Amino acid sequence: MKRIGVLTGGGDAPGLNAVIRAVVKTAMHDYGCEVIGIKNGFDGFLLPSGASLLTTADVRGILPRGGTILGSANRGNPFARKITKDGREEIIDVSGEVVHAINALKLDALIVIGGDGTLRIAHEMYLCGIPVVGVPKTIDNDIHGTEISFGFDTALNIATEAIDRLHTTAESHQRAMVVELMGRDAGFITLHSGVAGGADVILIPEIPFRWEAVAQKLRDRKAHGDLFSILAVSEGAHPIDGAATYNRPGDQISVPRLGGIGQKLGEYLETSGIETRVTVLGHVQRGGTPSAFDRWLATRYGSAAVRVAMQRHFDRMVTLISGHITDMPLMDAIAIPKRVDPLGDAVQTARGIGIAFGDEINH
Ligand code: F6P
């Protein structure tokens, strides 16, 4: 009997459990395989009881559940692990131990569900002889190799609902409402939810903005009788002459944590005489039940990952291209990050219906 391992790495995203469920069901039903669930990403290989058999009973009822039943680890990179020794922090490479633990489990394949960081680790593991297959996960939708990563649709729906809710209170008080949304250096959540929710201003990392152009848009709206405004702002948005805003610096292990641009913009608008309130949606975008679309996509990815593993096509990632699930080399999938095309039809559509991106030069 063959054995497949499965782990979830990096930040969680709605739909992780749907992938795990599809892996277990497809592996057992179609191939008679055993599935081993690894806890807390690659860290699980170093834990005393970090690997355990997953049966259909274990995955029953998890389809609508957010999070991951396996747990995840944001800093779980076996090639650069932070430890504290004699009161001092050190970065060490424990990949040898992880490879040893994987080999001891006699896995025929390891399905790694993660974003670009986790998938890069998966590729490095492959170079150490581990038969990996990747599944693209991230609410940011910034993985180049696939049209859509699971998790994005749910985050988009949550962000859109937030914008809808802000509309009614903005209108009541005739205020500007800034909502800061996730996405790291990619503006997909903000652009799509901003258009879907009818925002008046959308600020995304791919289109640097000018403070004055944003304030002018709101003044113009007021002059035309539109007394309130909604501004959807990516956490990675930044002005033309300035850097992105971080609320925590990075280190050798962690990337810097974005956050604070919404507040800065709110303060700027207030000093420009525009009454403004700021909402930071944060991890609400990642929590809770996945949308039907994400469950559907996650299930297709999970099943496909097992098929790819059984064909022994390793160092590959399952992907959605033109509506079909296929697979491609892992490194090709993540070599360059996916970003909003500032000249693409989505931005053009938004501009066409009067949404400002803060880069307008005619003010
Ligand atoms: O990559 C997903 C994401 O939610 C980003 O949109 C956000 O910047 C980041 O993760 C937050 O990470 P953490 O879970 O470490 O706060």
Side-chain angles (χ1 to χ4, degrees):
M1 181 188 272
K2 292 204 182 293
R3 288 185 126 188
I4 296 180
V6 59
L7 65 81
T8 54
D12 69 344
L16 282 168
N17 285 328
V19 181
I20 296 166
R21 174 178 175 270
V23 166
V24 171
K25 289 196 163 212
T26 308
M28 293 180 70
H29 183 261
D30 281 1
Y31 298 97
C33 287
E34 223 169 47
V35 178
I36 306 295
I38 312 298
K39 292 204 183 85
N40 302 344
F42 285 98
D43 283 2
F45 290 113
L46 303 174
L47 299 171
S49 49
S52 53
L53 190 66
L54 282 179
T55 65
T56 45
D58 296 310
V59 296
R60 190 166 298 135
I62 67 170
L63 187 58
R65 255 168 71 183
T68 161
I69 58 164
L70 292 175
S72 193
N74 249 358
R75 299 165 172 217
N77 183 355
F79 297 92
R81 192 180 162 89
K82 195 186 264 184
I83 59 156
T84 308
K85 200 172 162 190
D86 303 329
R88 285 182 35 213
E89 285 189 340
E90 264 183 46
I91 309 292
I92 57 166
D93 182 344
V94 293
S95 57
E97 281 172 62
V98 169
V99 168
H100 180 76
I102 296 174
N103 289 335
L105 284 169
K106 298 197 184 318
L107 299 180
D108 296 287
L110 175 64
I111 294 178
V112 177
I113 312 168
D116 56 349
T118 304
L119 294 175
R120 187 157 284 117
I121 296 168
H123 171 70
E124 287 177 40
M125 279 289 155
Y126 172 77
L127 299 180
C128 297
I130 304 302
V132 297
V133 174
V135 177
K137 163 244 59 161
T138 166
I139 65 164
D140 305 337
N141 201 29
D142 60 352
I143 298 175
H144 176 72
T146 189
E147 278 168 15
I148 310 179
S149 49
F150 74 86
F152 172 64
D153 183 68
T154 308
L156 171 59
N157 281 302
I158 294 167
T160 304
E161 192 196 334
I163 294 174
D164 287 346
R165 287 177 182 276
L166 289 171
H167 256 103
T168 59
T169 171
E171 188 171 15
S172 305
H173 291 273
Q174 303 176 355
R175 286 170 174 158
M177 287 287 186
V178 172
V179 57
E180 181 180 305
L181 299 166
M182 280 187 165
R184 273 210 176 109
D185 302 313
F188 294 104
I189 295 177
T190 307
L191 175 61
H192 292 218
S193 65
V195 171
D200 307 296
V201 176
I202 292 177
L203 303 183
I204 55 175
E206 295 87 343
I207 304 179
F209 67 88
R210 293 186 311 121
W211 301 97
E212 178 50 28
V214 176
Q216 191 57 47
K217 167 74 179 176
L218 304 196
R219 287 194 204 99
D220 290 350
R221 278 179 52 76
K222 201 166 185 181
H224 286 99
D226 297 316
L227 302 180
F228 71 95
S229 296
I230 305 289
L231 301 91
V233 179
S234 287
E235 59 182 2
H238 58 91
I240 281 175
D241 53 357
T245 308
Y246 295 94
N247 61 29
R248 200 204 57 187
D251 57 25
Q252 285 163 286
I253 300 289
S254 313
V255 292
R257 192 181 296 156
L258 285 159
I261 185 63
Q263 191 57 36
K264 269 193 191 170
L265 181 64
E267 283 162 17
Y268 173 82
L269 294 175
E270 287 263 323
T271 54
S272 310
I274 300 166
E275 190 185 1
T276 308
R277 296 292 186 272
V278 178
T279 302
V280 180
L281 208 52
H283 293 78
V284 168
Q285 291 158 98
R286 285 194 349 211
T289 190
S291 66
F293 179 84
D294 274 338
R295 296 181 206 184
W296 159 235
L297 182 61
T299 300
R300 293 170 77 195
Y301 278 152
S303 274
V306 173
R307 292 195 292 273
V308 171
M310 288 297 105
Q311 288 160 11
R312 302 187 55 76
H313 291 170
F314 300 123
D315 197 27
R316 299 183 73 82
M317 184 190 86
V318 292
T319 166
L320 185 78
I321 296 177
S322 304
H324 296 284
I325 302 283
T326 176
D327 57 277
M328 68 189 298
L330 250 178
M331 277 319 281
D332 289 356
I334 57 173
I336 49 167
K338 184 164 70 178
R339 298 289 182 255
V340 170
D341 176 0
L343 303 176
D345 85 280
V347 171
Q348 205 186 339
T349 298
R351 290 194 197 274
I353 58 171
I355 296 173
F357 285 82
D359 63 336
E360 292 72 16
I361 47 174
N362 54 339
H363 290 301

